[in-house]
Structures are given as C-alpha cells and as structure tokens.
Amino acid sequence: MSEASRPEANPPRGEGPGRAVWVFGDTRSLSQTRATRALLGRARYLADRLEGALWLILVGEELEPRLELFRSSGVDRALLMEHPRLSAYSQETFAAALAHLVLEHRPEIFLFLANDCGRELAPRLAARLDTGLCADCIGLDIDPQSGLLVQTVPAFGDQIYANIVTPVKRPQMATVRFGAGTLLATPAQGAAAGNENERCRPEILRAPFPAGIRPERVRRLGAEKDAGSGEALEKARVVVCGGRGVGSGARFRSLRDLADLLGAEVAGTRPAVHAHWIDEDRMIGQTGRSVAPEVLLLFGISGAVQFTAAIEQARYVIAVNRDPEAAVFKAADLGIVGDARQIVPELIRRSQRLLVEQYGRSPEEVNPRARASSRVSLGAMLQDLREEREYGLEEASEALEMSPQELEKIERGELPPSVSFLLRAARLFRVDPARFLSRADEIRADRRRAESFMKRAQNYSYRTLTPGAEEKHLRAFLITIDPRQDHKMIEYRHEGEEFVYVMRGEVEIKVGEELHGLRKGESLHFDASIPHHLRNQSQQKTELIVVLYTP
C-alpha cells in the first residue's frame, strides 16, 4: 500500500471492526514469550472492560508453532503475517507491516513490551500512524467514565506515578514494562475471563505481506546473544546486586569479579544505573526486573520499597550496609553492618583461597566464565584477533586504512578507535562487530564521565600527590584555582572528611551555611558530607593542599 493511498490513520470513533485490544507478540526468546503472556493477561482484562476482542499480532516466518505458546492466554483472534522478509527483526520493515495492519483493522489499543524491540518499534509505528505513545508503563486500566486507556508511568526516580490518557488519536499505544510488580497483576475479573478462554483456540486470521514496502536500508550482518543480558537475572540461582553505597564504577566492577567466582549474575539498583555502573537492563526494582534466586547478595543498598518489592521471591537474602538502621535489613535473612568497599575485596580473596583449597585448581579452572568475562581491553582484543588471523602489523594497518603507528597506538590503548575503524576491523577479522562496539561503548561512557568531571572543574587543576591510591582511604591533591574574575564557585559533597591547607593566595570555603576565609598558611578541617564550595577571591592563582579521607 502506497503512502498516498493508505486509509485515514485516525477514523471517527465507532467506525471499523470494533474496540479491539492488540498485543504485539515477541517470541524471540523464552523470556520474551513469557513476558508477552503476562501482558496478554492484562490486555484480556482491558478487552473485557471495553467489551471488545483481544488480538495477538505475530509477524515472522513459520508462526503456527509459536502460536501454540499462547493457547491458554485468553486470545480471541491471532493475526499472522508470514514472509521471508520478516524472518529477522528489522524496524523499518516491521513498522511498515504493522502500520498496514493497523490501518486495515483499526484497533482501539495496541500494546508492546518495553524491551529492546518494543522501545524501538512502537515509537516508529506511532509516528507513522500519527498517534500518541506512552512509554514504559507499569500499570494499565480503563477509565469507567470515558472508556479511555489509563496508562500509569513512574516519574522523578519512581517517587511519583502519573496517569496518562490519549483522548483523541487512535490507536492508544503503550510500551509496558515486564516484572513491574503488582501494578501489572491481572485482576480477578480478567483472570476469570482468561480461564474461560483457556479451553478455546483463537480464531486465526492471515494477512499478506504488503506490496510496496521498500527494501531495508540497514543490512543485517549477524547477531550474537549477550550471555550477560538482563534476561539471565530471572533464571539465575545466585545474584550479586550493588547500589549507591558501593561508591564508584571501579568498586562496582569488583562485584563482577565476585560474581565470576560464585558463578552468579550481576545486577544493580536505579542509582547504580544512573551512575552508568551497570546497564539499565540489569536493574532490579519495581520498574526494573524481579528476581527469585536461591541466594541474593546485596551490597550498599538502602532497601527502598521499590527495590524490595522485586526481591520478595528470593530464597535467601544477604545484605551488607554501613547503616544498622537501613531498611534493607528488614528484607534480609542475614544482615552485615559494614562497608561494602572493604567487605567485597575480602570476600573475593577468601573465595579464591577456598576454591584453591577445596578444588585444588585456580578460580578460572573451577569457573571458566570467570576467565571468559575478564576485562580485556579493546586494544588487546584487536591485537589478539590480528595475531590469531596471522596478520602482520603493516598488513593489517593497510587493510584498515591507517598507518602502522596508529594501529599500534590503538592496540596499546593510547588512541581511541572510531566506529568506522571497528566496523572495518570486524570485516577483516570476520567477527560480529557487536563485540567491538559494546566494548567501545563502555570506554566512551568512562570517557564521558571523566569529561563531565573536567567540565565541572574547568577552573581548577588537580595533581594527585598519592598516585595509585584511587581505592585507598586517604588521598592528597595539589589544587590550583584560577583568579576571581575567571572562577566559578563549585559545590562539592562526598563521604568522609576533608583537610584544606593554603600554600599560596587565599580561598573562600563555604561549608553548609558557615563561611570561612583562609589565607596562606591557614587550614580548615570539616565533614566532607556537608555541601561545600570553594572560591578564589584574590587576583592571583591560589594553591591548596587538599587531603581527603573516605571511610
């Protein structure tokens, strides 16, 4: 169907085949299939409230076996579109095919899972249909007065919830988070309706692949499942989870080392995700993933209700927190009052020693995944592939369109590679480029954090006086602050204590509401957890010795 001849995207209410509720079926994995079934349970309730039909939409190839997976899901009709071009997901082709189906059948509601596919596909489809989309919903209901879909979404770090409706445009579209706690639980009315439908097979409708859909502009090179994806959390027997109290990205990486030794999966809380210590796909919480492992280890987590609601099914919970009054201890079977930054390294050392003593082998031999998941640099990865494929430095650099000196710098980690270089390297070494690109994303994230810090501190220069002590409790710096006319006051706040000694010039330090003016030879000691500002009030550069203590 051409763009010019397609029917009106938003016909008047009452026209078309009825107030149907559609669910896009994601069957790429068992986890996504299970999530689709859960979404169908809620959609069944919505369809009953509207006195409409529940439709399951499947696109792909050989869909009949997949349809059997939804036999007891209360589906009234299953709409299947089969074609070789739909065998692998492509957002352009899928969006065009689904738009054709929507414009032909005009559903009232169209729901997608809020996963990688749904978050990419649903917005593109909504734009084609000129309708609205509510993203990452954790609750769905029908307003009894207006009959509109009420879509509940979290806001302000899950502190409040907002109810959103689409009053005019159709279909009403939403992406829905799976594992979002009780807000998605199917009410008794919907469950009963679903039970009645368990004995009925859905009516199967088939739709031809639309003519005129242009070929994909993006060529699929391949796909490789990430063994460490968030889906593994839901099946893991042991999970290690870290929160804000872990302290830093480097310390959070030590949780991965511990997990490798234990054969566990790694997860994080919302603050850890916001700090870019871990991917959002691995966030545990009411708006993240729910887990039910045999053993759940929690480090530096306060225990907000949004988090504990997602770990209720864990069999044995061990929590570590410095605050003896932390709420997380109420959900724990064993609570340890202590600093995770000290306890995790000790657990790693003892686990390594136990593995050697008990099995007589190294941790890598006992758990091969520990070796496979070691943090190999991107440059080392490229060098290993080059040598494995028996390419010399000059031969490889010529194929990669750069000088041997540049390639050598990339392999040593001195020069960050571009995306185009990584794609050329993937072709040359015959590997999936995702291996390179995902690692490059980690490097860029680290660089962004460093650049962000330097931007905030653009009027300061720092020189550490304790090199190699990044993870130690005591660190010292020589700090130079620009003159008054070039200087912006910056707020700092961190755990522990701070000592400032003025070597040259003068500095104004505001600690909370107290203002201190220091000249050469004077010093100040204060609680660094209180917000504090430093400003150079003189016409010359100021030099300070700053000593930080973190517990």
Side-chain angles (χ1 to χ4, degrees):
M1 182 178 295
S2 67
E3 295 285 329
S5 63
R6 69 183 186 181
E8 183 183 354
N10 289 282
R13 295 288 299 274
E15 294 185 11
R19 307 186 73 184
V21 177
W22 282 18
V23 172
F24 177 74
D26 191 340
T27 58
R28 294 173 299 156
S29 69
L30 180 61
S31 174
Q32 303 299 353
T33 301
R34 187 169 64 250
T36 301
R37 286 173 59 90
L39 182 54
L40 283 168
R42 187 62 179 183
R44 175 72 267 170
Y45 165 74
L46 301 176
D48 291 343
R49 292 289 302 274
L50 291 173
E51 298 182 354
L54 174 59
W55 291 45
L56 172 66
I57 312 302
L58 293 175
V59 296
E61 274 194 304
E62 300 179 0
L63 297 176
E64 287 277 4
R66 302 186 194 182
L67 185 58
E68 289 297 316
L69 300 172
F70 303 99
R71 184 172 181 177
S72 61
S73 298
V75 175
D76 297 309
R77 294 184 180 90
L79 181 56
L80 279 56
M81 180 183 286
E82 296 178 295
H83 194 272
R85 284 183 62 181
L86 300 171
S87 59
Y89 170 69
S90 167
Q91 60 91 0
E92 284 187 303
T93 303
F94 273 48
L98 290 176
H100 178 87
L101 295 177
V102 170
L103 294 171
E104 180 178 354
H105 296 278
R106 300 175 184 173
E108 180 75 9
I109 296 171
F110 201 173
L111 305 177
F112 292 76
L113 290 174
N115 56 13
D116 55 342
C117 174
R119 285 172 172 152
E120 179 183 52
L121 180 59
R124 286 169 169 79
L125 177 60
R128 283 174 175 264
L129 299 173
D130 189 29
T131 188
L133 171 71
C134 190
D136 286 358
C137 296
I138 61 171
L140 300 171
D141 209 338
I142 300 296
D143 181 81
Q145 280 75 41
S146 65
L148 295 175
L149 176 66
V150 180
Q151 303 151 107
T152 303
V153 296
F156 297 104
D158 294 354
Q159 298 303 307
I160 64 171
Y161 298 107
N163 290 330
I164 298 175
V165 297
T166 307
V168 178
K169 300 288 188 175
R170 293 295 179 271
Q172 300 168 83
M173 293 183 60
T175 60
V176 186
R177 291 187 182 182
F178 176 59
T182 57
L183 289 179
L184 272 183
T186 305
Q189 179 182 351
N195 291 334
E196 292 175 5
N197 282 274
E198 285 183 5
R199 299 184 294 273
C200 303
R201 290 180 62 86
E203 177 187 355
I204 299 177
L205 305 177
R206 297 185 182 276
F209 186 76
I213 294 182
R214 63 185 179 187
E216 292 87 350
R217 291 176 294 176
V218 176
R219 184 166 60 92
R220 185 173 184 269
L221 299 177
E224 179 178 318
K225 183 174 176 60
D226 181 6
S229 70
E231 294 177 17
L233 287 176
E234 297 160 9
K235 299 179 289 185
R237 295 182 65 250
V238 182
V239 173
V240 175
C241 184
R244 191 199 311 273
V246 173
S248 68
R251 293 189 179 105
F252 202 94
R253 284 193 288 272
S254 68
L255 295 185
R256 296 186 174 93
D257 296 332
L258 177 62
D260 289 339
L261 291 168
L262 302 177
E265 295 293 332
V266 183
T269 60
R270 180 173 291 278
V273 170
H274 285 173
H276 305 290
W277 298 342
I278 196 166
D279 293 337
E280 185 177 3
D281 193 40
R282 287 185 158 268
M283 183 180 77
I284 293 178
Q286 192 173 29
T287 54
R289 293 185 179 271
S290 298
V291 295
E294 293 288 316
V295 178
L296 176 62
L297 293 94
L298 308 177
F299 295 95
I301 296 172
S302 62
V305 65
Q306 293 90 343
F307 175 82
T308 55
I311 64 170
E312 291 177 346
Q313 300 303 313
R315 183 174 180 181
Y316 198 78
V317 178
I318 303 172
V320 177
N321 196 292
R322 290 190 305 162
D323 180 6
E325 303 299 324
V328 71
F329 290 133
K330 297 179 182 178
D333 298 286
L334 173 63
I336 301 174
V337 179
D339 192 338
R341 294 173 294 186
Q342 298 175 355
I343 291 174
V344 172
E346 184 62 25
L347 281 175
I348 291 173
R349 284 191 291 270
R350 294 196 181 195
S351 298
Q352 290 172 332
R353 185 166 64 245
L354 180 63
L355 288 172
V356 174
E357 292 173 354
Q358 185 168 344
Y359 296 98
R361 292 176 290 170
S362 68
E364 290 80 6
E365 292 173 314
V366 175
N367 180 16
R369 200 187 72 172
R371 179 176 63 252
S373 64
S374 60
R375 255 62 64 190
V376 178
S377 70
L378 182 57
M381 186 190 304
L382 290 165
Q383 183 177 0
D384 290 344
L385 282 170
R386 177 175 63 79
E387 293 173 352
E388 182 181 318
R389 302 293 193 271
E390 298 182 351
Y391 281 100
L393 190 65
E394 293 189 1
E395 184 184 6
S397 61
E398 183 178 354
L400 295 171
E401 303 175 16
M402 61 171 40
S403 69
Q405 292 78 16
E406 288 176 313
L407 178 57
E408 199 169 17
K409 286 184 178 180
I410 289 176
E411 291 183 349
R412 290 201 304 261
E414 299 173 1
L415 181 66
S418 65
V419 172
S420 59
F421 166 84
L422 294 174
L423 293 175
R424 290 196 299 271
R427 288 196 297 270
L428 177 64
F429 301 140
R430 302 182 301 282
V431 297
D432 189 336
R435 292 178 58 185
F436 297 152
L437 297 177
S438 61
R439 185 70 187 95
D441 284 342
E442 295 177 14
I443 295 171
R444 280 193 291 272
D446 291 340
R447 191 181 303 120
R448 281 195 299 269
R449 286 192 291 272
E451 289 171 353
S452 174
F453 175 79
M454 292 307 295
K455 184 176 181 181
R456 294 196 311 270
Q458 59 185 340
N459 303 109
Y460 295 73
S461 66
Y462 292 80
R463 182 162 68 88
T464 180
L465 303 178
T466 51
E470 290 79 7
E471 303 298 321
K472 303 296 184 182
H473 296 289
L474 199 64
R475 291 173 293 161
F477 301 89
L478 174 61
I479 299 180
T480 303
I481 308 180
D482 292 339
R484 177 172 57 190
Q485 62 268 24
D486 299 324
H487 179 60
K488 295 180 181 178
M489 179 175 277
I490 299 175
E491 179 177 302
Y492 293 90
R493 182 177 182 176
H494 45 84
E495 291 184 274
E497 302 172 57
E498 185 165 333
F499 173 82
V500 177
Y501 175 81
V502 182
M503 294 183 61
R504 187 178 73 171
E506 58 186 75
V507 65
E508 183 181 273
I509 305 178
K510 186 178 181 183
V511 182
E513 298 301 321
E514 296 184 8
L515 189 64
H516 305 269
L518 303 182
R519 297 179 180 274
K520 180 180 178 180
E522 296 179 337
S523 62
L524 181 67
H525 173 236
F526 54 91
D527 182 352
S529 65
I530 301 174
H532 50 282
H533 305 74
L534 282 74
R535 174 184 286 171
N536 183 357
Q537 288 290 76
S538 68
Q539 300 297 330
Q540 61 177 343
K541 287 189 176 183
T542 293
E543 290 186 347
L544 311 171
I545 295 291
V546 175
V547 180
L548 303 179
Y549 169 76
T550 54

